[in-house]
Amino acid sequence: MSAQLFVVATPIGHLDDMTYRAINVLESVSLIAAEDTRQSAPLLKHYNISTPLTAVHDHNETQKIDDIIKKLQNGENVALISDAGTPLISDPGFRLVRAAQQADIRVTPIPGACAAIAALSSVGLPSDRFLFVGFLPAKSSQRQAQLAQLKNHSETLILYEAPHRIVSCLTDIQEIFGAERRIGFAREITKTFETIVQKPVGELLEWVKADHNQQKGEMVLVIAGNPNEVDLEQQKVDQLLMRLLEDLSIKSASQLAADLTGNKRKTLYQRALELQEKV
């Protein structure tokens, strides 16, 4: 079998969350590309893994790609890891994975810990539909602008936040989403001072303000979706139907809309009837 690039998830805190398969892969590859070799070295030492390390991060990824791709093309397996959790999820690695795929090199995921999914699974908010946002902008005005775009989404939102910005971030969420929107707060997941709570945004903000310990560590925010979301897709379909009805019959408008959107003609025909009645 030709060489592979393994994308390996590592623990986000508790070292026992390392999988057997991940250990075997890291032991067997020729090289481990790590976000920060200083962060990864203790993990490898803990499992007696002596595979050589090379740093691949946001500032050098482009320069390192060619060397790693050459190793893979020469038949050497390479593993990609981040400081913690699953690579590429708000971590470096995308450019390397894309380059490997473009070079027809097999990319194999080795699943494991992910802070976003761990938080979603434990805060008690709907998990059937969710949107991973990652880190919001550091500047409040830009953060509020992005939150305003997310406000009406019905799916659960997952955010990462830095400890020194948690109070200002929650303040902005309260400003844009309202004090009653439910929010899960997952801090230091799998670590000694793990904290997982769910409260209305206003209550959570005051709770975090009152306890400085809650302003430390790695944090994930899980925000309940807006139950009163305006269906943006339906809005677009309605706008299309209304425009078509200006020039076409209901039958022709619904057929053309079905061709353009992929929706069922029968459903669009019924919707066109409803829209025409409102005019």
Side-chain angles (χ1 to χ4, degrees), residues 33-37 40 54-58 80-84 90-92:
E35 180 181 0
D36 186 337
T37 56
S40 299
T54 187
V56 178
H57 46 70
D58 285 333
L80 171 68
I81 62 175
S82 61
D83 289 348
S90 286
D91 279 330

Side-chain angles (χ1 to χ4, degrees), residues 1-6 28-31 71-72 75-79:
M1 184 179 291
S2 58
Q4 301 175 60
L5 173 64
F6 294 94
S28 66
V29 296
S30 299
L31 180 70
K71 285 184 178 293
L72 289 160
E76 298 183 53
N77 288 326
V78 176

Side-chain angles (χ1 to χ4, degrees), residues 40-60:
S40 299
L43 172 69
L44 301 186
K45 182 179 180 181
H46 180 81
Y47 286 103
N48 297 313
I49 298 171
S50 58
T51 305
L53 279 171
T54 187
V56 178
H57 46 70
D58 285 333
H59 302 295
N60 74 352

